[in-house]
Amino acid sequence: MLRNEGTTFFRTCLNAINVLSGVGLISIPFALSQGGWTSLIALFILAIICYFMGILLHRCMEVKPQIKTYPDIGALAFGKMGRVIVSIFVYLELYLFAVDLLILGGDSLEKLFPNWGLKVGALRVDGRKTYMMLTALLILPTTWVKSFGALAYVSFGGLLASIVLVGCVVWAGVADHVGFQQRGVVFRLRGFPTAISLYTFCYCAHVVFPTLRSSMTKKTHFPKVLLVSFSLSTLTYGLMAILGYLMYGQNVETQIALSLPQHKINTKIAIFTTLIYPLSKYASIIYPIAQAIEDASPLCATRLMSIIIRTLLLLTTVVVAIAVPFFAYVMAFIGAFTGVATTILIPCICYLKINEGWRKFGWELIVIALIIVVGVSVGLVGTYSSVKELVKRLR
């Protein structure tokens, strides 16, 4: 979809919703349990901020029609160094997201087939790690595809997975008699940084927005695409968060599918549905990184080297996933560190540099300055909190 020139408004909306309403949906009830009911206010504020950041990226691209990618905006604002810095954050975010997809695959398969592991001689590998490797093995052939357009059709399955997942949760609450009686807590200061980080992760799609915009027939309609996609995605996130928290309260798992009643058909469907995310999205996520490596040297551009590079990238993400197998907290780190940078800070800073009109003091400058302060605060506190939680679980 993303490859074709002249994409319609409707198809662009579907693509935007696909990248926004994805893996974050799985952990949104856990995020609400960490911050309490009042943290929902932060979710809606972040949605508005991130929507505005998409508008700023659109305005940056209007300055120079040749801009096609997110790093291009960094280059327009700060030259070669701007491109390098933006690319580092983009590729790091994509790489960590790929790691989290493998963790998700391992957790889901372990729930479906517990008490199973791999033994090679004296070496024993537990179920989660074994399933992460199995997930990687299933994903491997998709990483060898060199057409991003073909991968876009595969990743579209993630949108359908989100719809099915919400349906399974509603079914568990109504038909499986789980009910919606949990009261939860109003506010939880200790978990609030984790909640904010996970909420930020839900809107980490800005690295794709320039590509979506450049594919449109009528690029002036992109703000409407943002409005539709952010509105629908936020409604979906809010619905899933509220339903999951009302069903399980503080006992909700980091992945909502793992909280559903065992041995129920809709639970198995929900868990199988979560497996669609790593199988359908991993190759698309890792594609830009592999492409950047291959473009760095003519020696890397051959078919054989392409396969080797993509296989090695997959292997490194497997190693990291096995070393840090904590889905929600890796997600929180992505949201707080790279997510805040690519979703909030970089759009603000690049827009201020590209748009000389900011030198005239006005409401827009005040709003952007406040957003930068909020972004830096969320990034620092969220990164510290997520790293602290990861270190605690690794001990």
Side-chain angles (χ1 to χ4, degrees):
M1 284 187 186
L2 301 181
R3 178 184 60 183
N4 299 336
E5 289 296 322
T7 307
T8 64
F9 174 83
F10 178 72
R11 291 178 66 188
T12 308
C13 284
L14 288 180
N15 276 319
I17 294 169
N18 183 34
V19 296
L20 278 171
S21 295
V23 178
L25 198 65
I26 297 172
S27 285
I28 197 76
F30 175 74
L32 182 55
S33 75
Q34 292 298 291
W37 286 112
T38 53
S39 69
L40 277 175
I41 299 173
L43 173 66
F44 296 125
I45 292 175
L46 273 171
I48 294 170
I49 290 174
C50 293
Y51 163 73
F52 182 51
M53 295 302 98
I55 296 296
L56 294 189
L57 292 177
H58 168 71
R59 292 179 184 175
C60 290
M61 296 183 73
E62 284 184 319
V63 174
K64 191 175 182 180
Q66 292 80 7
I67 292 178
K68 301 294 183 183
T69 66
Y70 199 80
D72 287 346
I73 295 176
L76 178 63
F78 298 101
K80 185 177 181 180
M81 184 55 66
R83 179 184 295 278
V84 171
I85 293 173
V86 170
S87 296
I88 289 172
F89 277 102
V90 169
Y91 297 145
L92 180 58
E93 180 178 308
L94 293 174
Y95 184 86
L96 292 174
F97 187 18
V99 169
D100 222 26
L101 288 174
L102 292 178
I103 299 173
L104 173 61
D107 289 347
S108 299
L109 285 171
E110 187 185 35
K111 185 71 174 180
L112 287 171
F113 310 105
N115 305 318
W116 192 83
L118 182 65
K119 188 174 182 180
V120 181
L123 178 64
R124 170 133 184 118
V125 183
D126 66 35
R128 288 180 73 193
K129 296 175 182 177
T130 301
Y131 288 133
M132 287 179 201
M133 292 186 285
L134 177 60
T135 302
L137 192 62
L138 293 172
I139 288 171
L140 181 59
T142 67
T143 65
W144 296 339
V145 177
K146 295 202 67 174
S147 169
F148 189 70
L151 291 176
Y153 281 103
V154 175
S155 68
F156 185 71
L159 177 59
L160 298 178
S162 299
I163 297 172
V164 173
L165 184 60
V166 173
C168 289
V169 172
V170 173
W171 182 270
V174 176
D176 292 339
H177 309 295
V178 174
F180 305 97
Q181 288 85 29
Q182 296 294 325
R183 294 184 178 180
V185 297
V186 176
F187 180 70
R188 190 167 179 264
L189 179 61
R190 182 179 177 182
F192 195 74
T194 299
I196 297 297
S197 300
L198 290 172
Y199 291 156
T200 305
F201 177 90
C202 292
Y203 297 108
C204 289
H206 291 61
V207 297
V208 183
F209 285 164
T211 306
L212 290 176
R213 182 189 179 277
S214 64
S215 72
M216 291 187 70
T217 304
K218 298 181 179 179
K219 296 174 177 55
T220 54
H221 289 177
F222 188 66
K224 295 179 182 178
V225 170
L226 293 175
L227 181 60
V228 171
S229 57
F230 270 94
S231 298
L232 292 178
S233 297
T234 302
L235 285 174
T236 306
Y237 281 130
L239 176 64
M240 179 65 94
I242 292 170
L243 289 176
Y245 197 35
L246 285 174
M247 288 168 65
Y248 299 105
Q250 296 303 125
N251 296 319
V252 66
E253 296 281 353
T254 56
Q255 301 172 40
I256 184 62
L258 304 184
S259 292
L260 301 180
Q262 294 187 13
H263 311 302
K264 296 286 186 178
I265 184 63
N266 62 297
T267 300
K268 295 186 183 298
I269 292 173
I271 296 174
F272 273 116
T273 298
T274 61
L275 285 171
I276 293 176
Y277 288 114
L279 295 176
S280 65
K281 289 181 178 291
Y282 185 98
S284 296
I285 293 299
I286 215 72
Y287 179 92
I289 305 175
Q291 194 65 48
I293 296 173
E294 292 166 15
D295 291 344
S297 171
L299 296 176
C300 300
T302 64
R303 179 60 179 162
L304 177 60
M305 284 302 299
S306 174
I307 292 175
I308 292 173
I309 289 168
R310 292 157 193 259
T311 303
L312 289 176
L313 276 173
L314 178 62
L315 288 175
T316 62
T317 55
V318 171
V319 172
V320 177
I322 290 174
V324 193
F326 309 109
F327 177 77
Y329 293 105
V330 172
M331 184 185 291
F333 176 76
I334 297 170
F337 185 63
T338 59
V340 166
T342 58
T343 303
I344 299 176
L345 299 182
I346 291 175
C348 283
I349 295 170
C350 288
Y351 176 75
L352 291 177
K353 181 65 171 63
I354 294 169
N355 180 22
E356 298 295 336
W358 73 268
R359 295 178 180 175
K360 183 179 179 181
F361 190 80
W363 70 268
E364 188 175 70
L365 179 58
I366 296 173
V367 170
I368 292 176
L370 288 174
I371 290 174
I372 290 175
V373 172
V374 170
V376 171
S377 301
V378 170
L380 291 176
V381 175
T383 300
Y384 172 78
S385 175
S386 57
V387 169
K388 182 180 177 181
E389 290 290 341
L390 287 170
V391 171
K392 183 170 71 174
R393 282 162 173 73
L394 286 171
R395 289 176 178 173

